[in-house]
Structure formats: C-alpha cells, structure tokens
Amino acid sequence: MAESADYGLKCIVKLGGAAITHKHEFEERNNENLSLVASQLREAIMGSSWHGHGMDWSKRIENNHKDFAHEFGDQKIDSSAFVVVHGAGSFGHFQASRSGVHKGGLHLPLVRAGFVATRISVTSLNLEIVRALASEGIPSVGMSPFACGWSTAGRNFTDANISQVANAIDSGLIPVLHGDVVLDNSQGCTILSGDVIIRYLAQQLRPHYVVFLTDVLGVYDRPPSDPNAILLREIAVDEDGSWSIVKPMLPHMNKQVKITVGAHDTTGGMMTKITEAATIAKLGIDVYIVKAGTDHSLKALKGEVSNISNEWLGTMVRSSSKCIHSDV
C-alpha cells in the first residue's frame, strides 16, 4: 500500500490494556471502562443524537427467527472514520512472559505452548471488545495480525500487508486489531504490541489524529502514583525524532522522564507509547494520550482538541513546527 493513498481516515484509536482490563488480575476485563469507551466511540463516530440498534445478535438467540430489517432501515454510518487497536492488558501478557514467547525460540516446547496460549487469550479479549462495540451499533470486525499474515524480523515489520484493513474500511466496517504474537524471521516468534501496530497503521493510513486511551490522565514526569508527579501537557517532536516537553516548563528540562513497567508487561509500557507517539507526530499527525471514559477522552475522540487549554487534561504529542505556531 502506498503511503500517499487517501483513505479518508479520521482517527486511529488505541485502547490501552490497562484501561480496558484489570491489568494485575488474570484475564479480567474492566467492563465498566469498556462500556464507557464503547459509548464514547459510538458518539464520536455517529454523533450524540444517534439512537440506533446494536449489531451483536449472538446473544439474542431466542429472537433469531425475527426479521431485524426494520431496526436498521436505511441508517447511514460514517464508519470509515475510525480504526481501533487494543492492547492485551491482563490477557496474553502473563502467558507470554511465563513462556518467554517474546524472546523467540518457537522450536522449544514451552515457547510453542506459550505462543498458542497467548493467541487464545488475546483473541478472546478481541472478541469481547468487538462485541462491546457492536452492541453500541458500531460495525466492528476483529482482525488479528497473525491471521493477517503479518510477521517481523528482529521485532521490525517484514510483512504487514494492510489490504484487509483497507478493504474493511472501504466496506464501511471498523477494523479492530490487537497486540498479538507473530512469527519472526530471526528469532522464530515475538510479541507485536498494539503501540507498534498503531505506528505502522498511522504511516500507511495517515489519519487526521491518533488517540491513546489509558488508565491515567496522560504522560507524567514520573510514575503517577508519586504525589509529586506532574502531568506533561504538550510534547514537541523534532524532525530527527527527538522530543522535548513544551508544557509545563519543568525546572530541570534535561531530566529524564521516569517510567515504570509492570513485571509481566512484555511490550514496554508507557515509554513505548511515547516513542511510538513521537514517530507518529513526525508525520504531522497529532497524538492525544488521555484517560479513557472521561470528558477529556470524548473531546479527543471527536477531534475537538486543537490547542492545550486548562479545561482539557491529557498529553498532546505533535510536531514542533505546530508547537511553534500554537498559542500556548
């Protein structure tokens, strides 16, 4: 796919694993957050006045003889505006870390078993997220990187044809991808994180903006559990990929932002998000990192955050050229 192709894509959304699951509880969804996220996505895609019907008929078996046509009529949905990618959270990470599947060695029985177990876990979460979105009337379809034939070499993409994603968009569907285990040409197998997928899709599909939905307000200068943690409101990315904090002006600007990663997290945590967000911002695409299920995330999903104000809480990552001409 040529990078210059215009898919008319409005937004790529990353549902962070920590926001949609209870990350330290084995395979446990955060149903409350997932419901809020699905509702906000429906409003961002179809507007607050839309009151259509859900698309998940699988739990309405008692009515499967019924003609549902009247429920949908000729409703039109601008579903081509969004692509969704979700993390695994408490699904898959435990299996991957205990088997070492992210380190490769698919010829080893434990790693091979871990590969299978990880895929079972992450695809089961993908199904539930697709179901939650479909229940809100969003025409979502699950897409697994492994099943799409995506592969890597040394954790870098070697084969990632996005034709299936593009065809789904053209067909009026919303692709829902996820972090996955994939084959790797140099080490046998590895973990392909949702954040890396977001970066690749942004390069290929060129959305207007990208939204990372997390379990905290945004990126902090240290772990947010620290009472002295400061929310970084705006990060500027230069042409060479280096980034700096624009707002707020910290007393020690050269101080390294401190990031912690969960012991079972095989995908790099918040530092990976910043790195991938910076790569996306280099393309001229604004990135918003914001807490899921809040008024701030709804504004971000709608694309209503042009400049940083005191009313909006989150982290904007964007090209330094845009920051220079901003009024903040």
Side-chain angles (χ1 to χ4, degrees), residues 36-102:
L36 284 171
V37 167
S39 177
Q40 289 193 346
L41 272 168
R42 187 257 308 149
E43 183 172 342
I45 294 169
M46 295 174 289
S48 58
S49 61
W50 190 85
H51 298 290
H53 295 272
M55 294 185 176
D56 180 15
W57 297 346
S58 60
K59 293 188 176 181
R60 298 164 64 183
I61 297 174
E62 71 279 6
N63 292 324
N64 64 6
H65 64 281
K66 180 181 175 183
D67 179 9
F68 293 116
H70 71 282
E71 292 187 359
F72 299 94
D74 61 351
Q75 66 185 32
K76 292 180 173 59
I77 302 172
D78 185 18
S79 56
S80 65
F82 283 75
V83 169
V84 176
V85 181
H86 67 82
S90 62
F91 290 72
H93 280 302
F94 289 101
Q95 293 91 334
S97 62
R98 289 180 182 180
S99 64
V101 72
H102 56 294

Side-chain angles (χ1 to χ4, degrees), residues 93-152:
H93 280 302
F94 289 101
Q95 293 91 334
S97 62
R98 289 180 182 180
S99 64
V101 72
H102 56 294
K103 299 177 182 178
L106 195 56
H107 61 286
L108 299 172
L110 175 61
V111 175
R112 191 181 305 119
F115 191 101
V116 173
T118 301
R119 290 220 72 243
I120 290 172
S121 186
V122 296
T123 54
S124 68
L125 176 62
N126 180 253
L127 173 61
E128 292 307 315
I129 290 173
V130 168
R131 175 166 282 160
L133 298 180
S135 295
E136 286 287 338
I138 300 171
S140 51
V141 288
M143 288 188 166
S144 295
F146 175 79
C148 287
W150 292 11
S151 60
T152 59

Side-chain angles (χ1 to χ4, degrees), residues 183-209:
L183 300 179
D184 186 276
N185 292 341
S186 62
Q187 64 179 42
C189 60
T190 192
I191 295 289
L192 182 60
S193 78
D195 297 322
V196 174
I197 294 170
I198 285 274
R199 181 252 298 166
Y200 181 75
L201 291 179
Q203 290 172 335
Q204 298 295 315
L205 301 176
R206 298 299 175 109
H208 295 162
Y209 55 94

